[in-house]
Amino acid sequence: MHGPVSSGWLLVALCAATGAYCLLRMRSSVEEQRRAAGGEALMGFGMAAMAVPAAVFTPPAWAWPAYAVLFGAVGLRALWAARTGRHHLHHLVGTAAMVYMAAVMAGSPAHAHGHGSSGVPVLTGALLLYFTGYVLLTGVRLIPVVAVAADGPATGWGDRPELARACRLSMGIAMLAMLLTM
């Protein structure tokens, strides 16, 4: 990622913290939540690795194609899982964005060192529009509503839907930031 080093490190911290929380969510007793959390943890840590400022560390040439292959495989899994739930379509778009960014970085050695810009403007614009809409919609869903008292057992950290939404919101914002720096 090119741009100011301090904002790059903030993005790394945000993505790594989100990935760590998603690992905690994998302890949920609900299997579907565990699967979603695993994919989101991988996405968070992958975004953190991609966001390391180029002024600090320039990955080897093989790293970008490896990212593209890794997230391509995760995208195929998300495509398969999309048969059972709409949420997996968002994972599919997220992994496609990661493959796209890795491919742009692999094909643009000057970009990997923090100079110039690359990418297909129409595709970058479409991804920016999608993630902007996703961030706005997710942000609206976080607005508190009147809580209804529940007489059930207390939910654990892995089963709190508002924290999962906040996690997804932070990854959406991070994806917007990464796309804007392309």
Side-chain angles (χ1 to χ4, degrees):
M1 184 178 131
H2 65 86
V5 174
S6 60
S7 62
W9 283 119
L10 288 173
L11 193 56
V12 169
L14 174 70
C15 294
T18 301
Y21 174 69
C22 290
L23 285 178
L24 286 176
R25 286 182 38 227
M26 288 181 68
R27 295 177 26 192
S28 172
S29 60
V30 180
E31 182 177 347
E32 181 59 30
Q33 288 179 11
R34 285 193 309 266
R35 280 193 204 139
E40 290 166 359
L42 177 64
M43 185 70 80
F45 289 128
M47 289 171 65
M50 288 179 81
V52 172
V56 176
F57 173 72
T58 302
W62 57 264
W64 299 116
Y67 281 140
V69 169
L70 172 68
F71 284 103
V74 174
L76 288 174
R77 183 182 176 279
L79 180 62
W80 181 256
R83 299 173 302 118
T84 61
R86 282 183 339 159
H87 177 70
H88 297 288
L89 292 175
H90 172 69
H91 286 175
L92 181 61
V93 173
T95 57
M98 294 291 283
V99 168
Y100 170 66
M101 287 188 290
V104 166
M105 297 299 271
S108 177
H111 185 93
H113 296 289
H115 304 86
S117 65
S118 308
V120 180
V122 173
L123 186 52
T124 303
L127 288 169
L128 282 168
L129 282 174
Y130 173 80
F131 283 103
T132 299
Y134 181 79
V135 163
L136 292 173
L137 181 62
T138 304
V140 167
R141 288 181 178 165
L142 280 173
I143 295 174
V145 295
V146 178
V148 178
D151 291 333
T155 58
W157 284 99
D159 294 321
R160 308 245 341 235
E162 71 278 8
L163 291 177
R165 282 190 201 110
C167 179
R168 292 180 189 124
L169 176 64
S170 66
M171 281 198 292
I173 292 169
M175 187 68 77
L176 275 172
M178 290 175 75
L179 286 166
L180 284 171
T181 62
M182 289 188 60

